[in-house]
Amino acid sequence: MLILALDTSAAASAALLRDGGVAQRFFGTDTRAHAEVLAPALQDLLDAEGVAGRDLDAVVAGVGPGPFTGLRAGLVTARTLAFVWEVPLHGVMSLDAIAYDARADGPEGSEFLVATDARRTEVYWARYAWGGEGLPSLLDGPHVGAAATLPDLPAYGRGAGLYSSVLAAVPGFAAVNPDAASVGLVAERSLRQGLLLRDTTPLYLRESDAKVPGPRKRAIP
């Protein structure tokens, strides 16, 4: 199975997966340049493996939660490439990628949180349980809210690190953002198990700051 995965819910990242392993990967450091760096990075990944877009079995995109501009850049790119190359398109919640990376860190059935930075002193978060099939189970979420309101559970992700005074941030995971490689691994394992994946509807969780102007007020004569 050959999968091209991308995620722009935090930084721009991309990965090419072949038969359950990560063959090539890219992770950007600029959280405000998704559109500029993503397309060249995707082409570099394909070129490095000597494959074309139509050779892919699927394109997979992280659907957030995340901010409007960054998240939209990745989803539009994924939808366009899947349409042009005529390959299946799937979505994965970006928080699932961090949960997947942390999956072997606790006993089966125990619960934990994943939290990423939502800015405005808030976090995007979801609650999971360790699963026995290689994939964590989503129990609740995603949500956006103040870190102090989250359940008292071990917390993974950059959001946990930012608010470690009120969250039980797990060492080694306190600076982690969603990564396209793990997004792709979640998709690959789910597909092999016959599980349904999401579509690419974005999880914004907030209303846009951009508003349609209302009618002009009448001037006082």
Side-chain angles (χ1 to χ4, degrees):
M1 188 177 292
L2 190 63
I3 293 174
L4 183 66
L6 54 151
D7 186 278
T8 55
S9 62
S13 61
L16 186 65
L17 294 87
R18 188 190 293 272
D19 297 329
V22 180
Q24 300 290 332
R25 67 194 306 168
F26 163 82
F27 197 91
T29 57
D30 188 344
T31 59
R32 299 183 183 275
H34 303 80
E36 293 84 352
V37 302
L38 188 59
L42 294 173
Q43 188 61 59
D44 288 344
L45 299 185
L46 295 174
D47 291 346
E49 288 298 299
V51 299
R54 292 183 183 275
D55 297 329
L56 297 171
D57 293 297
V59 172
V60 177
V63 299
F68 284 80
T69 303
L71 192 56
R72 188 159 45 230
L75 293 176
V76 168
T77 299
R79 290 172 180 176
T80 301
L81 294 179
F83 176 77
V84 171
W85 292 335
E86 299 180 321
V87 298
L89 173 66
H90 304 287
V92 169
M93 186 167 73
S94 301
L95 299 179
D96 289 353
I98 297 176
Y100 178 84
D101 290 339
R103 69 194 183 283
D105 204 43
E108 184 177 341
S110 60
E111 297 183 11
F112 65 101
L113 304 177
V114 171
T116 57
D117 183 17
R119 304 173 187 172
R120 305 180 190 175
T121 68
E122 292 184 330
V123 294
Y124 298 118
W125 68 277
R127 182 165 59 96
Y128 295 85
W130 309 112
E133 300 296 328
L135 292 170
S137 300
L138 177 65
L139 301 179
D140 185 30
H143 305 289
V144 61
T149 65
L150 272 61
D152 184 16
L153 292 168
Y156 297 76
R158 185 166 183 265
L162 288 173
Y163 303 101
S164 57
S165 61
V166 293
L167 293 176
V170 175
F173 287 86
V176 173
N177 281 316
D179 183 355
S182 298
V183 167
L185 289 169
V186 169
E188 194 271 348
R189 179 155 292 192
S190 298
L191 291 170
R192 289 193 182 279
Q193 293 181 16
L195 303 176
L196 292 177
L197 290 170
R198 295 173 178 261
D199 61 21
T200 55
T201 301
L203 297 171
Y204 291 131
L205 302 192
R206 285 186 179 133
E207 292 186 4
S208 174
D209 290 333
K211 303 294 184 183
V212 177
R216 295 184 62 182
K217 295 181 180 179
R218 293 185 59 186
I220 299 176

